[in-house]
Amino acid sequence: LRVQPGETVALVGPSGAGKSTLLSLLLRFHDPQAGRITLDGIDLRELDLDALREAIALVPQSPTLFAASAADNIRYGRLDASDAEVRGAAEAAEADTFLDALPDGFASELGERGARLSGGQQQRVAIARALLKDAPVLLLDEATSALDAQSERAVQTALEHLMEGRTTLVVAHRLATVLRADRIVVIDAGRIVAEGTHAELLAQNGLYAELARLQFLD
């Protein structure tokens, strides 16, 4: 799998195919038992781990939020960020309106695991954090799959801001996410079985077409 700088690649496939494992390998939660993964031609194992992870922002399906203020949760993306930068990231993530509406605004405590926020609001705080980090590589792991349609629209808009000018890998379970990708890579049992655009893959009438009928078009 080769991903070009600035390219958005959607990873699709059945559960257990290896999509999330690929993201874990990129973050070096695991190292490959064979072969290698390179960033700008350098084997990940030769890079300083902190430097590698500084170059990557992750928006997972279930974001990790802390029992701290909204501002501190966003600032976790870049600890030296100013209040103005935190607010700018929240605005780009379409999170500023609901955060301002909290009793103490951005200083409000979000509760354990962000309990004071809805799922869609938690995702937008996680996106604001990733925007603030401003890393060149972005990993999205089913970032909208657990949301209702209204929340998904708001999160999708925030994601579009986030993806601009970045190299993005998206583990996708929604058609809207897939259609925005430059290229779709279909994974099954740990292997790439097809790649191309949405229209090209539908025309092949293979695994992607089956997934599109079963998952996306629902």
Side-chain angles (χ1 to χ4, degrees), residues 52-118:
L52 169 67
R53 291 181 181 164
E54 276 299 307
I56 299 173
L58 170 68
V59 180
Q61 183 176 353
S62 301
T64 301
L65 298 184
F66 305 104
S69 71
D72 283 345
N73 266 284
I74 294 171
R75 191 175 274 113
Y76 188 67
R78 183 159 53 82
L79 296 176
D80 61 354
S82 67
D83 289 345
E85 288 171 321
V86 168
R87 171 166 283 280
E91 289 172 357
E94 309 219 338
D96 56 313
T97 303
F98 67 79
L99 293 178
D100 281 332
L102 293 172
D104 296 314
F106 277 60
S108 300
E109 296 284 317
L110 296 186
E112 198 69 39
R113 297 185 180 178
R116 294 184 69 175
L117 303 179
S118 70

Side-chain angles (χ1 to χ4, degrees), residues 27-48:
L27 287 161
R28 283 202 68 200
F29 296 149
H30 316 281
D31 283 327
Q33 293 165 298
R36 64 190 195 128
I37 302 171
T38 64
L39 180 64
D40 286 345
I42 303 167
D43 192 310
L44 297 192
R45 288 168 289 201
E46 295 173 14
L47 290 169
D48 175 77

Side-chain angles (χ1 to χ4, degrees), residues 48-214:
D48 175 77
L49 190 57
D50 287 343
L52 169 67
R53 291 181 181 164
E54 276 299 307
I56 299 173
L58 170 68
V59 180
Q61 183 176 353
S62 301
T64 301
L65 298 184
F66 305 104
S69 71
D72 283 345
N73 266 284
I74 294 171
R75 191 175 274 113
Y76 188 67
R78 183 159 53 82
L79 296 176
D80 61 354
S82 67
D83 289 345
E85 288 171 321
V86 168
R87 171 166 283 280
E91 289 172 357
E94 309 219 338
D96 56 313
T97 303
F98 67 79
L99 293 178
D100 281 332
L102 293 172
D104 296 314
F106 277 60
S108 300
E109 296 284 317
L110 296 186
E112 198 69 39
R113 297 185 180 178
R116 294 184 69 175
L117 303 179
S118 70
Q121 290 171 340
Q122 290 176 18
Q123 281 293 35
R124 279 176 276 171
V125 169
I127 290 166
R129 181 189 288 168
L131 279 158
L132 189 65
K133 184 172 185 179
D134 197 22
V137 179
L138 174 64
L139 308 180
L140 303 177
D141 194 356
E142 301 179 27
T144 62
S145 67
L147 305 180
D148 59 63
Q150 188 174 4
S151 296
E152 185 186 6
R153 273 195 296 275
V155 170
Q156 197 69 55
T157 303
L159 285 173
E160 284 169 18
H161 290 302
L162 178 57
M163 292 162 69
E164 283 173 12
R166 295 177 217 282
T167 306
T168 307
L169 280 171
V170 189
V171 173
H173 273 230
R174 297 285 184 100
L175 185 61
T177 315
V178 173
L179 289 176
R180 286 179 176 83
D182 298 312
R183 182 161 48 108
I184 300 162
V185 173
V186 187
I187 300 176
D188 191 23
R191 293 188 174 277
I192 294 171
V193 294
E195 53 186 302
T197 65
H198 174 69
E200 288 167 351
L201 291 169
L202 279 182
Q204 291 175 19
N205 209 27
L207 177 60
Y208 179 81
E210 185 183 331
L211 287 169
R213 280 193 294 271
L214 291 173

